[in-house]
Structures are given as C-alpha cells and as structure tokens.
Amino acid sequence: MTPVELSRTVLRAVRRAVDEGELSVVVPVRAVVTPPGPGGCGDYATNIALQLARPAGRPARQVAEILRPHLTRSEGVADVAITGPGFLNIRLGGGAGASLVREIQRRRDAYGHGDVLAGQIVPLRVPYDIRAEVVADTLVRIVATQGGRAEVHHIHPSRAESAAPDLSRAEPAGTDLSQAKSAGAEPPHINAPQADPSRPRRPRPHHPHPQITTLRPTPAPEDPTPLGPDAARWALLHPASHDRPRISADHLLQRESNPLFRVRYAHARTRALTRNAAALGCTGDPGDVPEDVPGGDELVGTLAGYPAVLTQAALHRAPDRLARHLVTTADALLAFQHTVLPLGDEKPSAAHRARLALAEAAGTVLAGGLSLLGISAPDYL
C-alpha cells in the first residue's frame, strides 16, 4: 500500500465512522500520512484524529479510538496503535512493499509528484550569488513536482534590501542558474502598450499577490566551480540554507565518507544488479521482502517517505531535505544490495525477483532525486 492509497484508506475509515453515527463531522478532502515521528511506531502515522477533534466536539484521543477499529479492518492494514495526544500509528500487512514497488514502476520519474501547489506561482527573490542561484534553479524543478511554478526575481545591488521585486523582470521558470550572473546586470525592460485615453477604462480584476520568498543562503566561502558541475551543486545544496557550505576536493573522492559518492554509487549498483540478473535470466517482479532481510524494511520506508520529502522541500523551499533523503535511501540500498542476487549454485527464485524489483525501484528514486538537484546519475561508477 502506497502513502496515497493509505491516505484514501484513512478517509474511508472516517466515512464509515460518520455513516454509522459514531462521528458527526465533514469528511476531509485529504488525510496526511507520514512516517512515524519520535515516540511513534509502525510504518505510517496520521494526525487525522487531531484534525477532527474540534469539529467532532471530542478529545482527539477519543476520536482516534473510534477510528482505530475501522482502520484495523481495512485491507492491507495489520495493526493500528494510538500514541501521544491521538496519533494513529499504522502497521501495514502483506503486500505493502510490492504495492509500493509497482507504484514506482508505474510512475517512474513522476513518483512522488503531487498537487499541493497546483496552480500557484511561487516568486523567489535571490541576490546575485552563486549559491542562491543554484538553490533557486533547483527549487524551480522541485516546486514543479508539486504542480506550482516558481519565478526567479533578482535583488539588484542598487536597490534597497526591503524593496519589492519588479515582477515584470522575472526570470522565466527553468532558467539555467548554475552560474552566478554578474552583479549589476539588468534584465531587459518590458515596454507596456500605452493606454488609449478615448476608450473607457474597465475595472481590473483583483488577484491576490503571491507570497514572495527571499532566498539568502549562507554564501560559499570560495568559488565551487573547480569541483565540476555535479560536485559543486552538491556542495551548495546538501547543507541547510543557514549552514556554510564546505568547498573542498572531498566531494570528488570515491570513498564511503563522501555522501555524494554514496548516492551516485548506490544508483550505479542498482543498474549493475539489473545487468547481472539479466545474465542469470532473472528479472524483477514486485513482491514482499521478509522483515529479516538486511536493509529491506529501511529501504521500503525511505522509498515510501520520498513523496512527503518532496512536498516538504517544495513548501519550505529547502532542497537540502531532498539531498539528505537521497543519502538515507542510498545507505539503505547499499545495506540491502548483497541479498538481491543468488549466491553460489543458488537458482533465482521469486524472493530474488522481489528483491531485484525493490532495488530497481530505489534506483528510479535515486535517479529522479539527483535529476531534480541538477546532478547526473551514472549507470557506471
């Protein structure tokens, strides 16, 4: 069961409780489902009971108790526990991993894309600084995964810090901002047609001004371009915005201590597993991976959490969240990879095909995430 499917399952549980007269609320349009936080358990957690507590006129924990049996009886749900003030912690039953892999196979690079910013324009103000440019360029793509359109506006050195950006000077979405523009460069002015005074004026429709985000990440201490495009972008995007990026040749080392190497190497390993499996006459086929397989649960969890990470990266204008999640996914894959192919005289089985499909799904997510960061995902490394 994917997070989207589980969200629908939670809403169906609310609908059943309403239909049976246990709750008197309007069924929400969506239910937020995320990996459990501190103190949680299971595969996923939802705050739907806290969301419904006020309109239901009941304590959140009591709402959770009402919803728990409806969720427990849902197909694909093994158990539901209540923690904290009323969080519902859900442990999935058989078929969860296989369903997730099929979802990734079906959506490919579009896996994790949503509509939380559908139809919204996201103006981004940035100074003429190479790190700010790279962050803005990456956010153009990340915001697009959630249905929005980011527009980049530059803060000119001659303007006051608090001045509002001239929206007629917006950089088009998708502009290559991998290199900082020279200070003081002026975008071309757009000449508006002159109004005809003889014609009556029509009232202009009112459009709410989109909220403007000013991106001022801590600048890099030196020029990162000698690292090459991939390592330079990683050096600027992996740290949080308030952290000073580290510009050093360590980003080029093919060592386990280098997070960028681990992410790209993990992707290359998924491609190698596919090639080696083909030589054995084995192809991936989605199936459940037993809990005792090293790295299996962790890998399923990171893949399932990818959509939520993309959403948060877009909403908080924080591409570093995506970069760090790719590292977590890569580490889980590298721990899992040794279980994928048969060993010695062992023949490929359904278990091997299920593990191969899971590894290939991880490769899809790693490649898609690196692409959003503007970094290549080589098949050989």
Side-chain angles (χ1 to χ4, degrees):
M1 186 181 299
T2 66
V4 172
E5 292 169 338
L6 182 57
S7 176
R8 297 192 189 110
T9 299
V10 171
L11 292 178
R12 283 195 293 269
V14 175
R15 168 59 64 190
R16 285 194 294 269
V18 170
D19 291 345
E20 294 179 15
E22 297 173 290
L23 286 177
S24 179
V25 295
V26 175
V27 180
V29 176
R30 60 182 299 186
V32 177
V33 173
T34 62
C41 58
D43 299 301
Y44 294 99
T46 178
N47 66 347
I48 190 68
L50 284 76
Q51 180 182 342
L52 297 177
R54 178 174 292 180
R58 298 168 179 262
R61 199 168 179 92
Q62 190 178 107
V63 175
E65 292 286 358
I66 293 171
L67 295 177
R68 183 174 179 271
H70 294 287
L71 269 174
T72 304
R73 291 194 295 268
S74 300
E75 184 179 356
V77 175
D79 188 31
V80 179
I82 301 172
T83 60
F87 291 102
L88 287 159
N89 293 255
I90 304 167
R91 182 169 63 84
L92 300 180
S99 178
L100 174 65
V101 171
R102 280 192 289 269
E103 175 76 2
I104 296 173
Q105 288 180 339
R106 183 178 67 85
R107 301 198 66 188
R108 302 297 300 172
D109 291 343
Y111 173 67
H113 293 203
D115 58 0
V116 70
L117 294 176
Q120 295 187 33
I121 296 176
V122 180
L124 303 173
R125 298 176 71 225
V126 299
Y128 282 102
D129 167 74
I130 190 169
R131 189 183 185 196
E133 298 272 9
V134 170
V135 169
D137 174 57
T138 304
L139 284 174
V140 167
R141 288 186 291 274
I142 292 177
V143 167
T145 69
Q146 303 304 307
R149 180 165 64 88
E151 294 182 345
V152 181
H153 311 275
H154 286 90
I155 303 172
H156 293 269
S158 58
R159 296 182 183 178
E161 181 74 18
S162 60
D166 183 352
L167 297 185
S168 68
R169 303 185 180 193
E171 301 278 354
T175 300
D176 182 5
L177 303 178
S178 59
Q179 295 183 357
K181 296 184 173 70
S182 58
E186 287 281 347
H189 289 269
I190 299 176
N191 294 321
Q194 298 295 321
D196 184 354
S198 65
R199 299 182 63 181
R201 294 184 179 182
R202 295 180 179 180
R204 295 182 179 180
H206 173 70
H207 297 289
H209 197 284
Q211 184 176 1
I212 298 170
T213 301
T214 301
L215 300 177
R216 281 197 171 279
T218 302
E222 56 187 287
D223 182 12
T225 54
L227 296 176
D230 288 335
R233 292 184 73 91
W234 182 267
L236 298 176
L237 294 171
H238 182 251
S241 178
H242 58 270
D243 291 334
R244 183 174 295 276
R246 180 175 52 86
I247 308 302
S248 75
D250 289 348
H251 295 292
L252 302 173
L253 298 177
Q254 295 195 10
R255 293 180 181 173
E256 190 176 341
S257 58
N258 178 7
L260 174 59
F261 170 71
R262 296 207 305 276
V263 172
R264 300 176 83 214
Y265 176 67
H267 172 265
R269 285 300 304 150
T270 66
R271 297 297 184 257
L273 289 170
T274 299
R275 293 191 298 269
N276 295 337
L280 297 173
C282 179
T283 57
D285 183 26
D288 289 323
V289 176
E291 295 181 1
D292 59 349
V293 174
D297 277 355
E298 290 79 2
L299 186 55
V300 170
T302 60
L303 297 182
Y306 180 73
V309 170
L310 268 188
T311 300
Q312 293 303 310
L315 292 177
H316 295 280
R317 323 293 190 244
D320 57 287
R321 297 189 181 205
L322 172 58
R324 289 195 297 273
H325 189 77
L326 293 181
V327 176
T328 303
T329 304
D331 290 343
L333 183 280
L334 293 174
F336 173 74
Q337 62 166 329
H338 307 290
T339 70
V340 173
L341 298 180
L343 299 176
D345 295 332
E346 191 178 7
K347 299 296 182 182
S349 65
H352 294 113
R353 289 191 289 272
R355 296 170 196 172
L356 177 61
L358 178 57
E360 290 172 336
T364 298
V365 169
L366 290 170
L370 285 171
S371 176
L372 290 174
L373 297 178
I375 297 173
S376 64
D379 288 350
Y380 298 87
L381 196 62

